[in-house]
Amino acid sequence: MTLITPDELVALRQTGAGVCLLDVRWRLDEPEGRPAYLDGHIPGAIYVDLEAELAERPDPQWGRHPLPTHRRLQRAARRWGLQPDDIVVIYDDLQSVAAARAWWLLVNSSVADVRILDGGLRAWLAAGYDLVTGDAQPPPGTAILSPLTAPIVGIDRVDPPAPGTILLDVRAPERYRGAPATGERVSGHIPGAINLPTTTHLDAGRFRSPEVISRLFAAQGIGAQTQAIAYCGSGIAATHTIFAGWLIGLDIALFPGGWSQWQHARGRWAVEGDAADGTRTRI
């Protein structure tokens, strides 16, 4: 089970099972989510700092949100109070994109049961449940994480991708086409990439049914036997698409550096427009 509803979360906690509830509020224009967390969060939730705990410092060579080292993630898990048999439930307040980054890291670090609260904080409030203010400081956890075992693809594996591999750009269509964005030195997409915005998998902030998600992937030629790689701006939203694939049994690899790494790779190409391999500009 990888999705959980607010009612199911309440029922789970009433059983007395160990639940590590994580609040991963983050977005590009407001990366520090702690003030919002302090103003109101689900009772018992621990704030997770995506920039400091789920990523390394930005580096043009590796992108805006390089994957955290094993040491960094292990230290964070202990701060969260994660115990060996805990069920982890993660939420955010913006379409579960940041929550998916935490989910991806933990399931690939041998945490057995990691779930995303479908609809996030808004679903919790819509269900009529209350929030609490202030901070939560649990006792240090004792769970031991393994080094990442996820299918991760480096920049040389997407330039070009292996024959038969589909490269998915999950950013918004305008970013894929090449609309300028603040902080980018080059706009466009990686040659050969097709656009499947990750928000396509949502309906009113919640994940669509497995049948609908399957059709969306199938429309791009992706099925159980397909090799696919997902990328976004810096490895956050792409994990959301990977999660959507996970819901229907797909194992999609991650190019974590994404466009924030690609745009600094001298000598490569950027493509503008709606076509996977249209007008090229040398980076």
Side-chain angles (χ1 to χ4, degrees):
M1 180 184 296
T2 50
L3 283 174
I4 187 170
T5 68
D7 289 343
E8 289 169 341
L9 173 56
V10 170
L12 175 64
R13 299 178 86 173
Q14 289 174 344
T15 68
V19 177
C20 182
L21 182 60
L22 303 179
D23 181 314
V24 194
R25 269 182 267 189
W26 170 93
R27 61 178 192 246
L28 278 174
D29 63 337
E30 195 173 320
E32 177 54 77
R34 184 177 289 278
Y37 164 85
L38 294 174
D39 284 343
H41 57 268
I42 297 175
I46 309 301
Y47 175 68
V48 176
D49 188 330
L50 186 147
E51 300 272 342
E53 297 181 308
L54 305 183
E56 293 296 317
R57 293 175 61 87
D59 184 331
Q61 183 179 356
W62 302 108
R64 192 166 54 241
H65 293 107
L67 296 178
T69 63
H70 175 255
R71 181 179 180 183
R72 181 183 293 263
L73 190 60
Q74 178 67 75
R75 185 169 62 243
R78 288 178 178 157
R79 186 189 71 79
W80 306 334
L82 181 61
Q83 301 300 336
D85 296 324
D86 276 353
I87 299 169
V88 180
V89 178
I90 311 169
Y91 72 90
D92 59 36
D93 63 349
L94 190 65
Q95 301 180 320
S96 298
V97 172
R101 169 75 165 214
W103 166 86
W104 184 89
L105 286 167
L106 292 176
V107 297
N108 289 295
S109 298
S110 300
V111 178
D113 193 341
V114 187
R115 311 179 192 183
I116 288 179
L117 181 64
D118 199 16
L121 188 67
R122 297 176 190 184
W124 178 266
L125 293 172
Y129 295 114
D130 294 330
L131 303 180
V132 297
T133 59
D135 202 0
Q137 298 289 342
T142 60
I144 298 176
L145 307 185
S146 70
L148 282 176
T149 57
I152 300 169
V153 173
I155 194 168
D156 291 328
R157 288 275 306 281
V158 296
D159 186 25
T165 299
I166 295 177
L167 184 58
L168 282 176
D169 184 318
V170 309
R171 297 174 299 161
E174 61 271 19
R175 297 288 308 285
Y176 174 83
R177 288 193 295 267
T182 302
E184 285 189 351
R185 58 180 300 271
V186 180
S187 299
H189 60 266
I190 298 173
I194 60 176
N195 189 215
L196 181 62
T198 198
T199 51
T200 303
H201 306 297
L202 300 174
D203 180 15
R206 302 189 185 194
F207 283 89
R208 297 181 185 273
S209 70
E211 293 76 18
V212 172
I213 293 174
S214 293
R215 289 199 295 271
L216 292 169
F217 277 111
Q220 302 296 335
I222 300 173
Q225 305 305 315
T226 311
Q227 298 295 315
I229 301 168
Y231 79 90
C232 56
S234 62
I236 307 299
T239 57
H240 189 277
T241 292
I242 291 171
F243 178 80
W246 182 285
L247 291 174
I248 59 171
L250 300 181
D251 191 10
I252 300 172
L254 173 68
F255 169 38
W259 189 253
S260 61
Q261 179 184 8
W262 185 270
Q263 66 172 326
H264 292 286
R266 299 286 185 178
R268 301 185 191 270
W269 297 91
V271 176
E272 295 184 349
D274 293 314
D277 204 359
T279 303
R280 292 188 174 205
T281 301
R282 178 75 76 172
I283 296 176

